[in-house]
Amino acid sequence: MEPKKIREGYLVKKGSMFNSWKPMWVVLLEDAIEFYKKKSDNSPKGMIPLKGSTLTSPCQDFGKRMFVFKLATTKQQDHFFQAAYLEERDAWVRDIKKAIKCIEGGQKFARKSTRRSIRLPETIDLSALYLSMKDADNGVKELKLEKDKKVFNHCFTGNCVIDWLLSKQSVRNRQEGLMIASSLLNEGFLQPAGDLSKNAVDGTAETSFLDNPDAFYYFADSGFFCEENSSDDDVILKEEFRGIIIKQGCLLKQGHRRKNWKVRKFILREDPAYLHYYDPAGGEDPLGAIHLRGCVVTAVESTPDVKKSGDENLFEIITATEVHYFLQAASPQERTEWIKAIQVVSRTGK
């Protein structure tokens, strides 16, 4: 029986022989990490066994290179990975730590052990409850919150979740609400944001979820992002970089000239509405920018050229000046999330 996939996605990996950093498609299994040159490759470029390995995060061995974590194997081999943003790195680190802990304890990695561990009633459908919580009109409201000189976009507090569960009569009391919220957190529907909620998940609090106005959380598939507040009020940003970051992550982008496909890190901003793309292996300046005001974005089945990346999960952006951009997400869900986010920004951003 093949080990199940726990997590997969693009990360930037440091070469073991050279100091070059290159984007890889990384797959976390129950007992190892595999990395591929391309998502469509059938065989991995390399494999890192997790048994006996140690994880270091944050890893600050590389100066300005942010969101790096290090995996050291029993053979004294160090492997360095870089995520696109803080929350992505933390999600990988949590799952890798849990996988290593499961190996050490002779257990199987399982997200959905919640019903047995806290006796969740069989009548509770967490997936349906999650969709209700995300409802734009009647769900938990996503807010912009500030704490410790950080700005948390598209998140909400722990006590707001319990208040919502009570208001919808999904639970009878706050203790029961805490049990349901912990289940949503343990199964990955909700994610912790900020030190207080993260420490609770790591086991330094009595419960994994906190009924607390200072504990921040966000939906797993939302546009959540945390930004440091600048203490320098004299910094003047270029107009297109002033917008609030709505969503970010790695996508495949088709080049306009050679029509080849490359992994790029994308950052979506609103007001003004721009989608900037960067070399994920490094570089603070964007390689380009797409002005989204008045654009059209749609899912497509194929691209008009012959150099195809594989026809899955493609979408196209047509700007107001009729420039066409073809992008590819890693999954149908990710494609839908990007399309919806871009559509909102294109209508509301200037």
Side-chain angles (χ1 to χ4, degrees), residues 275-332:
L275 183 63
H276 294 94
Y277 52 95
Y278 301 73
D279 180 353
E284 297 181 3
D285 296 326
L287 300 174
I290 306 172
H291 190 196
L292 299 175
R293 178 64 175 168
C295 78
V296 176
V297 55
T298 55
V300 294
E301 298 303 318
S302 62
T303 56
D305 63 278
V306 294
K307 293 184 179 180
K308 295 183 180 179
S309 65
D311 288 336
E312 295 181 345
N313 311 317
L314 296 171
F315 63 99
E316 179 184 16
I317 299 173
I318 306 175
T319 69
T321 55
E322 297 188 0
V323 179
H324 294 242
Y325 294 87
F326 289 97
L327 306 173
Q328 184 179 35
S331 67

Side-chain angles (χ1 to χ4, degrees), residues 66-91:
M66 301 174 66
F67 316 129
V68 175
F69 62 90
K70 178 175 77 172
L71 190 65
T73 68
T74 54
K75 295 182 179 180
Q76 282 72 53
Q77 293 178 323
D78 292 341
H79 299 272
F80 299 92
F81 294 91
Q82 182 182 22
Y85 52 99
L86 177 63
E87 292 71 35
E88 183 180 56
R89 183 198 66 189
D90 288 350

Side-chain angles (χ1 to χ4, degrees), residues 9-281:
Y10 287 110
L11 292 172
V12 178
K13 185 180 184 299
K14 181 180 178 293
S16 55
M17 296 183 65
F18 303 101
N19 288 327
S20 59
W21 293 75
K22 293 183 178 179
M24 296 281 179
W25 182 257
V26 182
V27 179
L28 171 61
L29 305 173
E30 292 174 301
D31 59 354
I33 289 178
E34 294 180 342
F35 50 95
Y36 299 75
K37 188 175 180 180
K38 295 185 294 184
K39 181 178 181 288
S40 57
D41 289 350
N42 293 321
S43 56
K45 189 175 181 180
M47 188 272 289
I48 307 168
L50 292 179
K51 186 176 181 179
S53 295
T54 57
L55 191 66
T56 302
S57 177
C59 174
Q60 298 174 327
D61 295 2
F62 301 97
K64 292 184 177 181
R65 194 172 284 274
M66 301 174 66
F67 316 129
V68 175
F69 62 90
K70 178 175 77 172
L71 190 65
T73 68
T74 54
K75 295 182 179 180
Q76 282 72 53
Q77 293 178 323
D78 292 341
H79 299 272
F80 299 92
F81 294 91
Q82 182 182 22
Y85 52 99
L86 177 63
E87 292 71 35
E88 183 180 56
R89 183 198 66 189
D90 288 350
W92 275 95
V93 167
R94 280 197 299 271
D95 282 348
I96 294 171
K97 281 183 176 179
K98 184 175 179 180
I100 293 173
K101 188 175 180 180
C102 287
I103 293 170
E104 292 173 349
Q107 301 171 323
K108 297 285 286 183
F109 188 106
R111 295 189 192 280
K112 298 188 177 181
S113 59
T114 309
R115 291 190 185 277
R116 292 190 296 272
S117 62
I118 63 175
R119 297 179 181 178
L120 187 66
E122 292 296 332
T123 53
I124 297 294
D125 185 340
L126 292 179
S127 296
L129 183 62
Y130 177 67
L131 291 176
S132 297
M133 292 177 71
K134 289 192 64 186
D135 184 85
D137 297 320
N138 300 310
V140 177
K141 300 303 180 186
E142 295 178 276
L143 305 170
K144 179 178 179 180
L145 304 172
E146 295 188 29
K147 185 177 177 62
D148 299 330
K149 295 185 177 181
K150 294 180 180 178
V151 179
F152 297 86
N153 297 293
H154 297 274
C155 70
F156 40 83
T157 63
N159 67 314
C160 283
V161 172
I162 308 301
D163 289 343
W164 183 88
L165 289 170
L166 287 167
S167 70
K168 299 301 178 183
Q169 299 182 336
S170 299
V171 296
R172 291 170 295 183
N173 51 55
R174 299 194 80 82
Q175 187 60 37
E176 194 170 283
L178 198 59
M179 180 183 71
I180 298 298
S182 296
S183 302
L184 290 163
L185 184 67
N186 293 341
E187 298 197 19
F189 292 107
L190 304 182
Q191 296 292 326
D195 293 338
L196 185 63
S197 54
K198 288 179 182 178
N199 289 339
V201 171
D202 291 338
T204 56
E206 291 183 6
T207 59
S208 59
F209 189 92
L210 299 178
D211 181 4
N212 190 315
D214 292 323
F216 297 167
Y217 300 90
Y218 63 96
F219 296 125
D221 54 358
S222 74
F224 171 81
F225 183 66
C226 173
E227 295 176 286
E228 297 277 358
N229 280 341
S230 173
S231 59
D232 185 359
D233 295 330
D234 295 328
V235 172
I236 300 177
L237 294 174
K238 190 176 179 181
E239 177 63 22
E240 64 189 61
F241 294 102
R242 290 181 180 273
I244 297 172
I245 294 177
I246 299 301
K247 187 174 178 61
Q248 60 179 325
C250 288
L251 298 166
L252 281 169
K253 177 185 175 294
Q254 186 188 53
H256 278 102
R257 293 183 180 179
R258 297 183 180 179
K259 304 299 181 184
N260 55 339
W261 292 82
K262 291 186 178 181
V263 179
R264 296 295 181 227
K265 174 184 173 180
F266 285 84
I267 296 181
L268 175 63
R269 292 179 170 90
E270 70 170 351
D271 197 24
Y274 275 91
L275 183 63
H276 294 94
Y277 52 95
Y278 301 73
D279 180 353

